[in-house]
Amino acid sequence: MKVAAIQMVSASNPDANLQTAHRLLQQAKAEGANLAVLPEYWSIMGLRDTDKIAFAEEPGNGVLQNFLKQIAQELQMAIIGGTIPLKSGDSSKIYNACLAFDRHGSQIARYDKIHLFGFINGEESYQESNTIQEGNDIVSFDSEIGKIGLGVCYDLRFPELFRNMGPCSLIVLPAAFTYTTGQAHWEILLRARAIENQCYVLASAQGGTHDSGRRTWGHSMLIDPWGKIINCLDEGEGVVSADLDVDVMQKIRTNLPALKHRRFTC
């Protein structure tokens, strides 16, 4: 099975982002991908944190959800739609929602980001809890290669989230890591999650300087269950694609049955 991570440098104009996402998803399909993942905030990286609230959709209906459904049908490819803003019970906050669609355009999973990023470093400051309602449910779904687990960006720092999914064949992580934190921690955390869960990790990132001046780290990548980086795109928009080999994963789990050796559960 071939999978692809879409890397974008999303703008404050959703229409332009839709066009870019469409083009890059077509490229992923042309490269033979059966599943593609868009990054966090692929549809809008606003000039202000509150900008995304204006584009929040009711669950099940809206321009962004319809786009994901239709492009999955058009390309006959499973799509994990990074994150889009969905309405919450609080008009000042949205759910940062990751939606998965099968190749027929049917929604098969929804994950609302659980861990909300907070960071202060001089003039660089982020507080997602001001505009995002945290989710509560751990989400995974079955696929032809086994269970696929969903996380978003800051979730990467919380290994217990992924442990509570049970054994997965693939962990998918759409993200918009800042340049500061990404440079320090992105790769090592991704490789750690792959190694400790003995599964593939597919990370789809924002990677460049946005309208607001914010710079994201990029480095979308696919990592194998031994922690090896199979493919990576450092910066700028593009597609990272590669094949998953479930037999390789099973061999690693047989040779080093660490998952069976666990003595404590979350």
Side-chain angles (χ1 to χ4, degrees), residues 91-168:
S91 61
S92 66
K93 295 184 179 183
I94 54 95
Y95 285 113
N96 195 15
C98 179
L99 306 181
F101 294 81
D102 66 17
R103 64 186 183 88
H104 305 295
S106 297
Q107 184 179 316
I108 53 176
R110 170 183 168 179
Y111 168 67
D112 297 332
K113 185 176 183 179
I114 290 176
H115 300 99
L116 303 184
F117 183 52
F119 179 69
I120 300 174
N121 181 28
E123 294 183 358
E124 187 180 14
S125 176
Y126 305 96
Q127 197 64 50
E128 287 189 327
S129 61
N130 290 338
T131 56
I132 296 175
Q133 178 67 50
E134 74 275 7
N136 294 299
D137 297 327
I138 298 170
V139 177
S140 62
F141 62 93
D142 293 327
S143 76
E144 62 188 80
I145 59 164
K147 187 186 293 185
I148 297 177
L150 299 178
V152 173
C153 201
Y154 192 50
D155 286 330
L156 179 60
R157 295 182 182 272
F158 301 89
E160 65 273 15
L161 171 67
F162 305 100
R163 284 295 203 195
N164 272 302
M165 294 175 182
C168 289

Side-chain angles (χ1 to χ4, degrees), residues 129-237:
S129 61
N130 290 338
T131 56
I132 296 175
Q133 178 67 50
E134 74 275 7
N136 294 299
D137 297 327
I138 298 170
V139 177
S140 62
F141 62 93
D142 293 327
S143 76
E144 62 188 80
I145 59 164
K147 187 186 293 185
I148 297 177
L150 299 178
V152 173
C153 201
Y154 192 50
D155 286 330
L156 179 60
R157 295 182 182 272
F158 301 89
E160 65 273 15
L161 171 67
F162 305 100
R163 284 295 203 195
N164 272 302
M165 294 175 182
C168 289
S169 297
L170 174 67
I171 289 172
V172 170
L173 194 98
F177 250 61
T178 70
Y179 189 89
T180 302
T181 58
Q183 186 178 39
H185 302 143
W186 172 249
E187 179 185 318
I188 194 169
L189 287 171
L190 287 171
R191 295 179 69 189
R193 298 296 85 82
I195 292 166
E196 69 198 12
N197 292 291
Q198 297 186 313
C199 70
Y200 288 93
V201 172
L202 182 64
S204 177
Q206 296 281 350
T209 303
H210 304 268
D211 293 358
S212 64
R214 174 178 176 177
R215 187 178 180 188
T216 45
W217 176 239
H219 293 76
S220 295
M221 63 181 72
L222 176 67
I223 303 168
D224 78 6
W226 196 247
K228 177 184 177 181
I229 298 174
I230 299 174
N231 199 357
C232 177
L233 174 61
D234 290 353
E235 196 168 20
E237 66 178 41

Side-chain angles (χ1 to χ4, degrees), residues 76-94:
Q76 288 290 288
M77 179 172 65
I79 293 176
I80 297 177
T83 66
I84 64 170
L86 293 184
K87 291 183 178 180
S88 72
D90 184 339
S91 61
S92 66
K93 295 184 179 183
I94 54 95

